[in-house]
Amino acid sequence: MVTDTEGYVHIIEYLTEHLSLFENATNASSDETVMEVIEQELSEQIILVCSQNEDLTFNQRNMIIREVDSMLYDLQEILSAVVNNPVSANQREFIKEFATLIKNLFDTEIHNLPH
């Protein structure tokens, strides 16, 4: 649905262009890790996707969850050196923006589903 689209490739490229934000992190005084914030932000955006698209079937919702699991795996691979580090304010802001881009990608793909 989403992970095999050109849009997803662009989002991953966007992340890799901003890896220095994660590699050179300082001033991270949070109790939350980078991965915890990624999971939280993605969860919030996917809940929004599902609540805004009430006509999604059970199978479509399951497909979305599988796609998010796949994305989380990709993100863990890309950010493997820093996923357990405390998250900084700048990282949190970037992760929020990144999760919104993923939501927009789902919105686009859902809009293109046959009705």
Side-chain angles (χ1 to χ4, degrees), residues 4 10 12 14 29 32 37-38 42 55-56 58 63 67 70 72 74-75 80 89 96 101 108-109 112:
D4 59 354
H10 290 300
I12 294 300
Y14 179 69
S29 60
E32 294 177 293
V37 173
I38 289 171
L42 269 180
D55 57 336
L56 287 172
F58 178 79
M63 184 182 346
E67 292 267 314
S70 177
L72 286 171
D74 290 346
L75 295 175
S80 62
K96 190 172 197 66
L101 291 173
T108 300
E109 292 303 311
N112 293 330

Side-chain angles (χ1 to χ4, degrees), residues 19-27 82 88 91:
L19 280 179
S20 61
L21 178 66
F22 293 91
E23 294 167 351
N24 304 321
T26 56
N27 302 335
V82 299
S88 70
Q91 290 168 342

